[in-house]
Amino acid sequence: MKKPVNNMYTRRKFVSYSAIYTSAAALLYAHNTFAAGLLRSSQQYTVQQVIDLILKEGHLASIAETVDTLKSGSGSTIVTGIVTTMFANVTVIKQAAELGANFIITHEPTFYNHTDDTNWVKDNQVVKQKQALLKKHNITVWRFHDYIHALNPDAVEYGVLKKLKWLPYFKADSPTITIPAITLEQLVKHIKASLGINHLRIIGNSSKPCSRITILPGAAGGKMQMAFAEKDKPDVLIVGELSEWETAEYVRDARLMGSNMALIVLGHIMSEQPGMEYFAEWLKPKLNGVKVTYIKCEDVFTWM
C-alpha cells in the first residue's frame, strides 16, 4: 500500500528550496548589478575624448588659432590618469609617471616658447632630452591655456580668488573687486600666506589703507594692466608678471604725480597655478574611473 504523502514535510521542503532559489537569484542579480556599476564607473577614455568632454562641459566654442594643442603623445591614447599643472616640467613628468598618469594637462608651454616650436632654437638638447623623457613614459601633454581663460568664469582668475578667499567679492565681468579695508602691509601678508609665496615685489606705502583691488594673474601685458588701472582706479594693482619698463614705470610716475596706487607683483607661476588646482576640482566629477591629480610647480627662483 502506498504511503500517504506528508504534506507538511513537502510544504517545508518546497518553502526551503524556494528560499534558496530566491536568495541565489537575488545574489546573482546583485552581482550583475554591481558588475554593471563597476563597468560604468571604470569607463575608459581616450585623450581626445577627455579634451572633447572638457570643451563640451565648459560650453567652449572651438578656437581656430590656438596654442592648445598636443605637445607629445596621441589623442587616441587610453588615459590611465590625468595630472593638471602649471608647467609640464621634468619634475612633474616624473611625478606623473610615478602616479601611473599618462596625460598631463598643462597651462603653459612645454618647450619654452608660446607656440611650443621645438625648432625655435636649433638642436636644443634640453628639448630633445625632454621629448625622450615623455616618450619613455608614454605621456601625452595637452596645453590648456586659451580654453581655460575662455571658461565662464575664467578658471584661472576664479582659482586665484578662491585661494585668496575673495570669492564673495568676485564679479565675473571685472578683474576689480572691493574687499574690507586693510593696510598694504596686511594685504601682502594675506597674499603670501594664502598663495604660499615667500617674497613679493611691491611699490607703495605699506601703511596705506586699501580696499579696491584690480587683480590680473599671469602676463596680461602692460597695455591691459595700465588700461584697467586707468579705468578702475584701484588702490592696488596686483599682477602676475610685468615688463619693468612698462607697468612698473607707469606706477612709479603715477605716484610721483600724486596717485596713491600701489603695485604688487606675484610672479607668473604663483599667480596662475591656483587656476590649475581649481580646474582639477572642476574636472574630477565629470570623469568616471579616471584619477585626476593636481601637481604644484614650485617657484623656479631662489631668493638670496
Side-chain angles (χ1 to χ4, degrees), residues 35-70:
L38 281 179
L39 288 173
R40 284 195 298 271
S41 65
S42 302
Q43 182 178 345
Q44 288 188 327
Y45 298 85
T46 65
V47 164
Q48 189 59 53
Q49 285 173 330
V50 172
I51 293 171
D52 292 343
L53 181 144
I54 291 168
L55 301 186
K56 179 182 177 182
E57 293 290 323
H59 306 289
L60 296 169
S62 178
I63 301 174
E65 299 294 327
T66 179
V67 294
D68 292 3
T69 58
L70 295 183

Side-chain angles (χ1 to χ4, degrees), residues 8-10 14 65 103 114 129 187 191 201 213 243 301:
M8 182 62 72
Y9 171 76
T10 303
F14 174 76
E65 299 294 327
F103 185 23
H114 186 55
Q129 290 178 69
L187 179 63
I191 291 172
R201 293 199 294 171
I213 295 169
S243 296
F301 296 104

Side-chain angles (χ1 to χ4, degrees), residues 18-294:
S18 296
I20 291 171
Y21 294 146
T22 302
S23 297
L27 286 171
L28 182 61
Y29 174 79
H31 176 269
N32 290 338
T33 303
F34 178 70
L38 281 179
L39 288 173
R40 284 195 298 271
S41 65
S42 302
Q43 182 178 345
Q44 288 188 327
Y45 298 85
T46 65
V47 164
Q48 189 59 53
Q49 285 173 330
V50 172
I51 293 171
D52 292 343
L53 181 144
I54 291 168
L55 301 186
K56 179 182 177 182
E57 293 290 323
H59 306 289
L60 296 169
S62 178
I63 301 174
E65 299 294 327
T66 179
V67 294
D68 292 3
T69 58
L70 295 183
K71 311 306 176 183
S72 70
S74 167
S76 63
T77 298
I78 299 296
V79 176
T80 60
I82 297 172
V83 162
T84 73
T85 192
M86 185 67 179
F87 283 95
N89 60 38
V90 170
T91 300
V92 170
I93 293 168
K94 290 180 178 179
Q95 288 178 334
E98 289 172 3
L99 290 168
N102 65 349
F103 185 23
I104 297 176
I105 301 177
T106 180
H107 184 58
E108 294 297 11
T110 301
F111 297 112
Y112 324 117
N113 64 91
H114 186 55
T115 61
D116 282 295
D117 178 1
T118 55
N119 295 311
W120 198 47
V121 173
K122 187 178 179 181
D123 294 325
N124 189 324
Q125 292 304 302
V126 176
V127 167
K128 291 181 178 180
Q129 290 178 69
K130 193 169 188 179
Q131 288 174 320
L133 181 65
L134 288 164
K135 186 174 181 180
K136 173 185 174 182
H137 294 296
N138 297 313
I139 289 177
T140 297
V141 176
W142 179 55
R143 189 172 180 194
F144 188 47
H145 180 272
D146 299 345
Y147 283 114
I148 196 172
H149 285 300
L151 284 171
N152 187 19
D154 180 325
V156 170
E157 183 182 1
Y158 189 89
V160 72
L161 289 172
K162 182 175 185 286
K163 201 83 172 174
L164 288 164
K165 299 180 175 61
W166 287 347
L167 286 182
Y169 318 111
F170 171 67
K171 294 179 292 184
D173 60 347
S174 173
T176 300
I177 61 174
T178 301
I179 66 171
I182 54 176
T183 66
L184 181 61
E185 182 178 13
Q186 291 170 325
L187 179 63
V188 167
K189 288 180 179 178
H190 172 72
I191 291 172
K192 289 170 68 176
S194 299
L195 301 183
I197 303 176
N198 292 324
H199 299 84
L200 293 173
R201 293 199 294 171
I202 69 167
I203 299 174
N205 181 347
S206 61
S207 62
K208 184 73 177 176
C210 51
S211 63
R212 188 168 172 80
I213 295 169
T214 297
I215 181 164
L216 297 168
K223 185 175 183 179
M224 180 179 288
Q225 291 164 352
M226 283 182 253
F228 275 109
E230 287 292 321
K231 173 179 172 289
D232 292 354
K233 301 290 190 294
D235 300 321
V236 184
L237 174 63
I238 301 176
V239 302
E241 66 173 275
L242 49 69
S243 296
E244 292 185 14
W245 67 88
E246 294 176 348
T247 307
E249 286 302 314
Y250 160 80
V251 173
R252 189 211 304 253
D253 279 347
R255 293 181 60 79
L256 289 171
M257 292 187 286
S259 171
N260 287 316
M261 180 173 58
L263 174 70
I264 299 177
V265 183
L266 304 178
H268 195 109
I269 292 177
M270 307 309 281
S271 74
E272 286 202 309
Q273 72 175 351
M276 294 309 289
E277 182 177 8
Y278 166 68
F279 173 65
E281 298 171 7
W282 181 91
L283 183 59
K284 283 177 185 178
K286 296 173 174 59
L287 292 171
N288 292 322
V290 179
K291 185 177 181 181
V292 180
T293 305
Y294 161 71

Side-chain angles (χ1 to χ4, degrees), residues 4-21:
V5 177
N6 187 332
N7 291 331
M8 182 62 72
Y9 171 76
T10 303
R11 283 196 297 271
R12 285 176 181 170
K13 193 173 181 181
F14 174 76
V15 171
S16 177
Y17 286 159
S18 296
I20 291 171
Y21 294 146

